[in-house]
Amino acid sequence: NQKNENSKNVFAAFYFTKELQSIFDNDVKQIIEELGLTYIRVSSSTTDTNTTINDDIIGKIKSSKIVIADFSGQRNSVYFEAGLAMGLTIPVIWTCRKDEVANLSFDTRQYPHILWETKEELKEKLKNRIKAIS
């Protein structure tokens, strides 16, 4: 029995570079919505001023069906968010740019990462993985 199986939320954790933000906020969001799910991500600009960003992140992850964690750029916050989801038994989809796989932390390298080079490849592989686990 999958945790939050009735949730429609898919939480995305990634390094907020202009390029990755564009890929996730446009392309990844599009395939998530095509699958009838809701794209969720947190940044300081989307968090209510009366809520700390950590509380916002924790609350949104707790209510999610799936967490997508992209390790391109090696952001500590992405490791935190993936670990939190794992602790809550929420499925994590691990992704990383193919040219950065050698930089993955040794303790997470064992998980099956979707390795990608183009946004089209990421979209296709994510769509298939989301369909398989949702």
Side-chain angles (χ1 to χ4, degrees):
N1 192 14
Q2 182 179 315
K3 180 149 177 122
N4 298 338
E5 65 184 67
N6 296 323
S7 172
K8 297 285 185 198
N9 295 344
V10 177
F11 185 94
F14 58 93
Y15 184 13
F16 283 13
T17 63
K18 281 188 177 177
E19 182 190 19
L20 285 177
Q21 212 167 325
S22 174
I23 290 170
F24 275 84
D25 288 351
N26 297 304
D27 304 288
V28 172
K29 179 181 181 187
Q30 177 191 358
I31 63 123
I32 288 169
E33 291 176 349
E34 283 173 9
L35 293 170
L37 301 169
T38 305
Y39 174 80
I40 305 275
R41 73 132 164 112
V42 172
S43 74
S44 56
S45 64
T46 61
T47 300
D48 182 329
T49 54
N50 295 326
T51 306
T52 70
I53 192 162
N54 288 341
D55 288 346
D56 199 17
I57 288 167
I58 291 166
K60 293 219 165 81
I61 289 174
K62 279 183 169 182
S63 71
S64 292
K65 177 184 192 93
I66 297 167
V67 170
I68 298 169
D70 186 86
F71 293 89
S72 307
Q74 302 300 302
R75 297 302 281 186
N76 290 336
S77 57
V78 176
Y79 284 93
F80 169 79
E81 291 157 3
L84 175 62
M86 287 182 73
L88 294 169
T89 67
I90 295 167
V92 176
I93 299 175
W94 306 78
T95 67
C96 186
R97 241 186 235 278
K98 197 177 261 181
D99 61 356
E100 294 193 32
V101 73
N103 299 328
L104 289 172
S105 174
F106 74 94
D107 54 354
T108 57
R109 196 175 293 160
Q110 63 187 312
Y111 296 105
H113 286 70
I114 290 174
L115 301 180
W116 59 278
E117 292 183 84
T118 65
K119 64 184 178 182
E120 292 75 23
E121 183 179 20
L122 177 62
K123 281 173 64 173
E124 187 62 30
K125 289 179 175 183
L126 269 178
K127 189 175 194 175
N128 291 337
R129 184 73 58 89
I130 292 168
K131 279 198 230 175
I133 64 176
S134 63

PDB file of all heavy atoms in Angstrom, residues 23 27-28 31 70 95-99 113-129:
ATOM      1  N   ILE A  23      13.561  23.758 -17.166  1.00  0.00           N
ATOM      2  CA  ILE A  23      13.220  22.373 -17.497  1.00  0.00           C
ATOM      3  C   ILE A  23      12.136  21.849 -16.558  1.00  0.00           C
ATOM      4  O   ILE A  23      11.143  21.268 -17.000  1.00  0.00           O
ATOM      5  CB  ILE A  23      14.477  21.468 -17.442  1.00  0.00           C
ATOM      6  CG1 ILE A  23      15.406  21.800 -18.610  1.00  0.00           C
ATOM      7  CG2 ILE A  23      14.086  19.988 -17.459  1.00  0.00           C
ATOM      8  CD1 ILE A  23      16.789  21.143 -18.524  1.00  0.00           C
ATOM      9  N   ASP A  27       8.842  21.812 -18.673  1.00  0.00           N
ATOM     10  CA  ASP A  27       8.782  20.482 -19.276  1.00  0.00           C
ATOM     11  C   ASP A  27       8.327  19.394 -18.308  1.00  0.00           C
ATOM     12  O   ASP A  27       7.422  18.612 -18.610  1.00  0.00           O
ATOM     13  CB  ASP A  27      10.151  20.133 -19.872  1.00  0.00           C
ATOM     14  CG  ASP A  27      10.592  21.182 -20.875  1.00  0.00           C
ATOM     15  OD1 ASP A  27      10.010  21.222 -21.971  1.00  0.00           O
ATOM     16  OD2 ASP A  27      11.494  21.978 -20.558  1.00  0.00           O
ATOM     17  N   VAL A  28       8.957  19.319 -17.150  1.00  0.00           N
ATOM     18  CA  VAL A  28       8.580  18.297 -16.173  1.00  0.00           C
ATOM     19  C   VAL A  28       7.163  18.558 -15.671  1.00  0.00           C
ATOM     20  O   VAL A  28       6.352  17.643 -15.557  1.00  0.00           O
ATOM     21  CB  VAL A  28       9.608  18.224 -15.020  1.00  0.00           C
ATOM     22  CG1 VAL A  28       9.129  17.309 -13.902  1.00  0.00           C
ATOM     23  CG2 VAL A  28      10.964  17.765 -15.556  1.00  0.00           C
ATOM     24  N   ILE A  31       4.587  17.178 -18.205  1.00  0.00           N
ATOM     25  CA  ILE A  31       4.299  15.739 -18.230  1.00  0.00           C
ATOM     26  C   ILE A  31       3.576  15.299 -16.957  1.00  0.00           C
ATOM     27  O   ILE A  31       2.727  14.419 -17.009  1.00  0.00           O
ATOM     28  CB  ILE A  31       5.556  14.872 -18.502  1.00  0.00           C
ATOM     29  CG1 ILE A  31       6.586  15.024 -17.418  1.00  0.00           C
ATOM     30  CG2 ILE A  31       6.127  15.091 -19.863  1.00  0.00           C
ATOM     31  CD1 ILE A  31       6.923  13.711 -16.794  1.00  0.00           C
ATOM     32  N   ASP A  70      16.329  15.608  -8.290  1.00  0.00           N
ATOM     33  CA  ASP A  70      17.362  15.699  -9.323  1.00  0.00           C
ATOM     34  C   ASP A  70      18.663  16.159  -8.666  1.00  0.00           C
ATOM     35  O   ASP A  70      18.710  17.223  -8.058  1.00  0.00           O
ATOM     36  CB  ASP A  70      16.963  16.667 -10.436  1.00  0.00           C
ATOM     37  CG  ASP A  70      17.978  16.618 -11.563  1.00  0.00           C
ATOM     38  OD1 ASP A  70      17.830  15.756 -12.444  1.00  0.00           O
ATOM     39  OD2 ASP A  70      18.933  17.420 -11.542  1.00  0.00           O
ATOM     40  N   THR A  95      16.988  11.344 -10.152  1.00  0.00           N
ATOM     41  CA  THR A  95      17.443  11.741 -11.484  1.00  0.00           C
ATOM     42  C   THR A  95      18.765  12.507 -11.365  1.00  0.00           C
ATOM     43  O   THR A  95      19.057  13.108 -10.330  1.00  0.00           O
ATOM     44  CB  THR A  95      16.407  12.619 -12.229  1.00  0.00           C
ATOM     45  OG1 THR A  95      16.275  13.882 -11.569  1.00  0.00           O
ATOM     46  CG2 THR A  95      15.042  11.945 -12.312  1.00  0.00           C
ATOM     47  N   CYS A  96      19.536  12.456 -12.444  1.00  0.00           N
ATOM     48  CA  CYS A  96      20.803  13.194 -12.469  1.00  0.00           C
ATOM     49  C   CYS A  96      21.252  13.317 -13.921  1.00  0.00           C
ATOM     50  O   CYS A  96      21.086  12.386 -14.710  1.00  0.00           O
ATOM     51  CB  CYS A  96      21.865  12.447 -11.665  1.00  0.00           C
ATOM     52  SG  CYS A  96      23.417  13.359 -11.503  1.00  0.00           S
ATOM     53  N   ARG A  97      21.790  14.470 -14.242  1.00  0.00           N
ATOM     54  CA  ARG A  97      22.412  14.637 -15.552  1.00  0.00           C
ATOM     55  C   ARG A  97      23.512  13.599 -15.709  1.00  0.00           C
ATOM     56  O   ARG A  97      24.286  13.375 -14.790  1.00  0.00           O
ATOM     57  CB  ARG A  97      23.049  16.012 -15.637  1.00  0.00           C
ATOM     58  CG  ARG A  97      22.500  16.871 -16.687  1.00  0.00           C
ATOM     59  CD  ARG A  97      23.363  18.123 -16.698  1.00  0.00           C
ATOM     60  NE  ARG A  97      22.563  19.284 -16.540  1.00  0.00           N
ATOM     61  CZ  ARG A  97      21.904  19.859 -17.548  1.00  0.00           C
ATOM     62  NH1 ARG A  97      21.988  19.382 -18.752  1.00  0.00           N
ATOM     63  NH2 ARG A  97      21.169  20.902 -17.329  1.00  0.00           N
ATOM     64  N   LYS A  98      23.552  12.984 -16.879  1.00  0.00           N
ATOM     65  CA  LYS A  98      24.501  11.887 -17.122  1.00  0.00           C
ATOM     66  C   LYS A  98      25.947  12.296 -16.863  1.00  0.00           C
ATOM     67  O   LYS A  98      26.726  11.533 -16.301  1.00  0.00           O
ATOM     68  CB  LYS A  98      24.331  11.385 -18.561  1.00  0.00           C
ATOM     69  CG  LYS A  98      24.946  10.035 -18.810  1.00  0.00           C
ATOM     70  CD  LYS A  98      24.683   9.567 -20.231  1.00  0.00           C
ATOM     71  CE  LYS A  98      23.523   8.613 -20.243  1.00  0.00           C
ATOM     72  NZ  LYS A  98      23.206   8.094 -21.568  1.00  0.00           N
ATOM     73  N   ASP A  99      26.320  13.521 -17.218  1.00  0.00           N
ATOM     74  CA  ASP A  99      27.713  13.943 -17.049  1.00  0.00           C
ATOM     75  C   ASP A  99      28.078  14.277 -15.599  1.00  0.00           C
ATOM     76  O   ASP A  99      29.217  14.616 -15.305  1.00  0.00           O
ATOM     77  CB  ASP A  99      28.038  15.122 -17.971  1.00  0.00           C
ATOM     78  CG  ASP A  99      27.194  16.357 -17.700  1.00  0.00           C
ATOM     79  OD1 ASP A  99      26.279  16.307 -16.839  1.00  0.00           O
ATOM     80  OD2 ASP A  99      27.437  17.386 -18.346  1.00  0.00           O
ATOM     81  N   HIS A 113      19.079   5.746 -10.575  1.00  0.00           N
ATOM     82  CA  HIS A 113      18.877   7.112 -11.066  1.00  0.00           C
ATOM     83  C   HIS A 113      18.476   7.092 -12.539  1.00  0.00           C
ATOM     84  O   HIS A 113      19.019   6.312 -13.317  1.00  0.00           O
ATOM     85  CB  HIS A 113      20.161   7.927 -10.929  1.00  0.00           C
ATOM     86  CG  HIS A 113      20.488   8.325  -9.538  1.00  0.00           C
ATOM     87  ND1 HIS A 113      20.890   7.419  -8.579  1.00  0.00           N
ATOM     88  CD2 HIS A 113      20.480   9.535  -8.932  1.00  0.00           C
ATOM     89  CE1 HIS A 113      21.114   8.068  -7.442  1.00  0.00           C
ATOM     90  NE2 HIS A 113      20.880   9.343  -7.633  1.00  0.00           N
ATOM     91  N   ILE A 114      17.562   7.970 -12.881  1.00  0.00           N
ATOM     92  CA  ILE A 114      17.301   8.250 -14.296  1.00  0.00           C
ATOM     93  C   ILE A 114      18.422   9.193 -14.723  1.00  0.00           C
ATOM     94  O   ILE A 114      18.547  10.294 -14.187  1.00  0.00           O
ATOM     95  CB  ILE A 114      15.931   8.926 -14.493  1.00  0.00           C
ATOM     96  CG1 ILE A 114      14.807   7.936 -14.211  1.00  0.00           C
ATOM     97  CG2 ILE A 114      15.822   9.526 -15.888  1.00  0.00           C
ATOM     98  CD1 ILE A 114      13.420   8.565 -14.250  1.00  0.00           C
ATOM     99  N   LEU A 115      19.249   8.723 -15.633  1.00  0.00           N
ATOM    100  CA  LEU A 115      20.335   9.557 -16.144  1.00  0.00           C
ATOM    101  C   LEU A 115      19.874  10.183 -17.449  1.00  0.00           C
ATOM    102  O   LEU A 115      19.325   9.501 -18.307  1.00  0.00           O
ATOM    103  CB  LEU A 115      21.599   8.722 -16.350  1.00  0.00           C
ATOM    104  CG  LEU A 115      22.113   8.023 -15.090  1.00  0.00           C
ATOM    105  CD1 LEU A 115      23.360   7.214 -15.407  1.00  0.00           C
ATOM    106  CD2 LEU A 115      22.371   9.007 -13.960  1.00  0.00           C
ATOM    107  N   TRP A 116      20.089  11.492 -17.575  1.00  0.00           N
ATOM    108  CA  TRP A 116      19.558  12.208 -18.741  1.00  0.00           C
ATOM    109  C   TRP A 116      20.575  13.197 -19.280  1.00  0.00           C
ATOM    110  O   TRP A 116      21.439  13.668 -18.570  1.00  0.00           O
ATOM    111  CB  TRP A 116      18.242  12.899 -18.388  1.00  0.00           C
ATOM    112  CG  TRP A 116      18.336  13.893 -17.263  1.00  0.00           C
ATOM    113  CD1 TRP A 116      18.318  13.641 -15.927  1.00  0.00           C
ATOM    114  CD2 TRP A 116      18.472  15.321 -17.390  1.00  0.00           C
ATOM    115  NE1 TRP A 116      18.439  14.814 -15.203  1.00  0.00           N
ATOM    116  CE2 TRP A 116      18.529  15.861 -16.086  1.00  0.00           C
ATOM    117  CE3 TRP A 116      18.545  16.195 -18.477  1.00  0.00           C
ATOM    118  CZ2 TRP A 116      18.647  17.220 -15.838  1.00  0.00           C
ATOM    119  CZ3 TRP A 116      18.673  17.550 -18.227  1.00  0.00           C
ATOM    120  CH2 TRP A 116      18.715  18.041 -16.922  1.00  0.00           C
ATOM    121  N   GLU A 117      20.421  13.466 -20.582  1.00  0.00           N
ATOM    122  CA  GLU A 117      21.268  14.466 -21.243  1.00  0.00           C
ATOM    123  C   GLU A 117      20.444  15.622 -21.789  1.00  0.00           C
ATOM    124  O   GLU A 117      20.902  16.752 -21.802  1.00  0.00           O
ATOM    125  CB  GLU A 117      22.063  13.810 -22.379  1.00  0.00           C
ATOM    126  CG  GLU A 117      23.098  12.828 -21.872  1.00  0.00           C
ATOM    127  CD  GLU A 117      23.927  12.222 -22.989  1.00  0.00           C
ATOM    128  OE1 GLU A 117      24.905  12.877 -23.394  1.00  0.00           O
ATOM    129  OE2 GLU A 117      23.588  11.120 -23.439  1.00  0.00           O
ATOM    130  N   THR A 118      19.232  15.342 -22.248  1.00  0.00           N
ATOM    131  CA  THR A 118      18.369  16.392 -22.806  1.00  0.00           C
ATOM    132  C   THR A 118      17.054  16.434 -22.035  1.00  0.00           C
ATOM    133  O   THR A 118      16.658  15.441 -21.409  1.00  0.00           O
ATOM    134  CB  THR A 118      18.035  16.120 -24.290  1.00  0.00           C
ATOM    135  OG1 THR A 118      17.243  14.922 -24.362  1.00  0.00           O
ATOM    136  CG2 THR A 118      19.306  15.973 -25.132  1.00  0.00           C
ATOM    137  N   LYS A 119      16.374  17.578 -22.110  1.00  0.00           N
ATOM    138  CA  LYS A 119      15.094  17.668 -21.408  1.00  0.00           C
ATOM    139  C   LYS A 119      14.073  16.698 -21.994  1.00  0.00           C
ATOM    140  O   LYS A 119      13.238  16.164 -21.272  1.00  0.00           O
ATOM    141  CB  LYS A 119      14.569  19.101 -21.401  1.00  0.00           C
ATOM    142  CG  LYS A 119      14.230  19.683 -22.748  1.00  0.00           C
ATOM    143  CD  LYS A 119      13.810  21.139 -22.610  1.00  0.00           C
ATOM    144  CE  LYS A 119      13.505  21.754 -23.943  1.00  0.00           C
ATOM    145  NZ  LYS A 119      13.144  23.167 -23.807  1.00  0.00           N
ATOM    146  N   GLU A 120      14.178  16.410 -23.289  1.00  0.00           N
ATOM    147  CA  GLU A 120      13.260  15.449 -23.917  1.00  0.00           C
ATOM    148  C   GLU A 120      13.472  14.053 -23.331  1.00  0.00           C
ATOM    149  O   GLU A 120      12.519  13.337 -23.048  1.00  0.00           O
ATOM    150  CB  GLU A 120      13.448  15.421 -25.444  1.00  0.00           C
ATOM    151  CG  GLU A 120      13.008  16.690 -26.161  1.00  0.00           C
ATOM    152  CD  GLU A 120      13.975  17.881 -26.010  1.00  0.00           C
ATOM    153  OE1 GLU A 120      15.175  17.658 -25.735  1.00  0.00           O
ATOM    154  OE2 GLU A 120      13.510  19.036 -26.141  1.00  0.00           O
ATOM    155  N   GLU A 121      14.728  13.692 -23.140  1.00  0.00           N
ATOM    156  CA  GLU A 121      15.049  12.384 -22.557  1.00  0.00           C
ATOM    157  C   GLU A 121      14.553  12.314 -21.110  1.00  0.00           C
ATOM    158  O   GLU A 121      13.962  11.310 -20.693  1.00  0.00           O
ATOM    159  CB  GLU A 121      16.564  12.178 -22.623  1.00  0.00           C
ATOM    160  CG  GLU A 121      17.022  10.828 -22.121  1.00  0.00           C
ATOM    161  CD  GLU A 121      18.538  10.646 -22.215  1.00  0.00           C
ATOM    162  OE1 GLU A 121      19.291  11.646 -22.306  1.00  0.00           O
ATOM    163  OE2 GLU A 121      18.956   9.491 -22.184  1.00  0.00           O
ATOM    164  N   LEU A 122      14.762  13.382 -20.342  1.00  0.00           N
ATOM    165  CA  LEU A 122      14.278  13.428 -18.964  1.00  0.00           C
ATOM    166  C   LEU A 122      12.761  13.285 -18.924  1.00  0.00           C
ATOM    167  O   LEU A 122      12.222  12.501 -18.141  1.00  0.00           O
ATOM    168  CB  LEU A 122      14.710  14.725 -18.279  1.00  0.00           C
ATOM    169  CG  LEU A 122      14.210  14.920 -16.845  1.00  0.00           C
ATOM    170  CD1 LEU A 122      14.735  13.834 -15.911  1.00  0.00           C
ATOM    171  CD2 LEU A 122      14.591  16.312 -16.330  1.00  0.00           C
ATOM    172  N   LYS A 123      12.070  14.025 -19.771  1.00  0.00           N
ATOM    173  CA  LYS A 123      10.602  13.970 -19.806  1.00  0.00           C
ATOM    174  C   LYS A 123      10.106  12.557 -20.093  1.00  0.00           C
ATOM    175  O   LYS A 123       9.215  12.052 -19.404  1.00  0.00           O
ATOM    176  CB  LYS A 123      10.049  14.919 -20.877  1.00  0.00           C
ATOM    177  CG  LYS A 123      10.021  16.368 -20.461  1.00  0.00           C
ATOM    178  CD  LYS A 123       9.640  17.278 -21.608  1.00  0.00           C
ATOM    179  CE  LYS A 123       8.248  17.045 -22.126  1.00  0.00           C
ATOM    180  NZ  LYS A 123       7.834  18.037 -23.128  1.00  0.00           N
ATOM    181  N   GLU A 124      10.660  11.923 -21.099  1.00  0.00           N
ATOM    182  CA  GLU A 124      10.208  10.588 -21.493  1.00  0.00           C
ATOM    183  C   GLU A 124      10.457   9.568 -20.381  1.00  0.00           C
ATOM    184  O   GLU A 124       9.576   8.779 -20.041  1.00  0.00           O
ATOM    185  CB  GLU A 124      10.920  10.159 -22.784  1.00  0.00           C
ATOM    186  CG  GLU A 124      10.401   8.863 -23.365  1.00  0.00           C
ATOM    187  CD  GLU A 124       8.932   8.902 -23.767  1.00  0.00           C
ATOM    188  OE1 GLU A 124       8.424   9.979 -24.147  1.00  0.00           O
ATOM    189  OE2 GLU A 124       8.290   7.837 -23.694  1.00  0.00           O
ATOM    190  N   LYS A 125      11.658   9.594 -19.817  1.00  0.00           N
ATOM    191  CA  LYS A 125      11.991   8.637 -18.761  1.00  0.00           C
ATOM    192  C   LYS A 125      11.166   8.889 -17.496  1.00  0.00           C
ATOM    193  O   LYS A 125      10.727   7.943 -16.835  1.00  0.00           O
ATOM    194  CB  LYS A 125      13.484   8.690 -18.455  1.00  0.00           C
ATOM    195  CG  LYS A 125      14.350   8.101 -19.573  1.00  0.00           C
ATOM    196  CD  LYS A 125      15.825   8.187 -19.237  1.00  0.00           C
ATOM    197  CE  LYS A 125      16.686   7.491 -20.281  1.00  0.00           C
ATOM    198  NZ  LYS A 125      18.119   7.528 -19.912  1.00  0.00           N
ATOM    199  N   LEU A 126      10.950  10.160 -17.157  1.00  0.00           N
ATOM    200  CA  LEU A 126      10.131  10.482 -15.985  1.00  0.00           C
ATOM    201  C   LEU A 126       8.689  10.035 -16.190  1.00  0.00           C
ATOM    202  O   LEU A 126       8.070   9.487 -15.280  1.00  0.00           O
ATOM    203  CB  LEU A 126      10.152  11.988 -15.713  1.00  0.00           C
ATOM    204  CG  LEU A 126      11.222  12.511 -14.779  1.00  0.00           C
ATOM    205  CD1 LEU A 126      11.130  14.021 -14.664  1.00  0.00           C
ATOM    206  CD2 LEU A 126      11.147  11.863 -13.414  1.00  0.00           C
ATOM    207  N   LYS A 127       8.175  10.283 -17.368  1.00  0.00           N
ATOM    208  CA  LYS A 127       6.788   9.890 -17.666  1.00  0.00           C
ATOM    209  C   LYS A 127       6.616   8.389 -17.458  1.00  0.00           C
ATOM    210  O   LYS A 127       5.662   7.942 -16.818  1.00  0.00           O
ATOM    211  CB  LYS A 127       6.446  10.297 -19.103  1.00  0.00           C
ATOM    212  CG  LYS A 127       4.997  10.154 -19.469  1.00  0.00           C
ATOM    213  CD  LYS A 127       4.780  10.709 -20.871  1.00  0.00           C
ATOM    214  CE  LYS A 127       3.335  10.898 -21.167  1.00  0.00           C
ATOM    215  NZ  LYS A 127       3.130  11.538 -22.465  1.00  0.00           N
ATOM    216  N   ASN A 128       7.549   7.603 -17.982  1.00  0.00           N
ATOM    217  CA  ASN A 128       7.469   6.147 -17.840  1.00  0.00           C
ATOM    218  C   ASN A 128       7.588   5.726 -16.384  1.00  0.00           C
ATOM    219  O   ASN A 128       6.848   4.845 -15.932  1.00  0.00           O
ATOM    220  CB  ASN A 128       8.556   5.475 -18.687  1.00  0.00           C
ATOM    221  CG  ASN A 128       8.299   5.632 -20.165  1.00  0.00           C
ATOM    222  OD1 ASN A 128       7.179   5.840 -20.607  1.00  0.00           O
ATOM    223  ND2 ASN A 128       9.351   5.550 -20.959  1.00  0.00           N
ATOM    224  N   ARG A 129       8.493   6.341 -15.617  1.00  0.00           N
ATOM    225  CA  ARG A 129       8.675   5.952 -14.217  1.00  0.00           C
ATOM    226  C   ARG A 129       7.459   6.340 -13.393  1.00  0.00           C
ATOM    227  O   ARG A 129       7.011   5.587 -12.541  1.00  0.00           O
ATOM    228  CB  ARG A 129       9.952   6.604 -13.667  1.00  0.00           C
ATOM    229  CG  ARG A 129      10.313   6.223 -12.252  1.00  0.00           C
ATOM    230  CD  ARG A 129      10.861   4.815 -12.056  1.00  0.00           C
ATOM    231  NE  ARG A 129      12.041   4.539 -12.837  1.00  0.00           N
ATOM    232  CZ  ARG A 129      13.290   4.767 -12.445  1.00  0.00           C
ATOM    233  NH1 ARG A 129      13.540   5.279 -11.249  1.00  0.00           N
ATOM    234  NH2 ARG A 129      14.297   4.464 -13.228  1.00  0.00           N
TER     235      ARG A 129
END
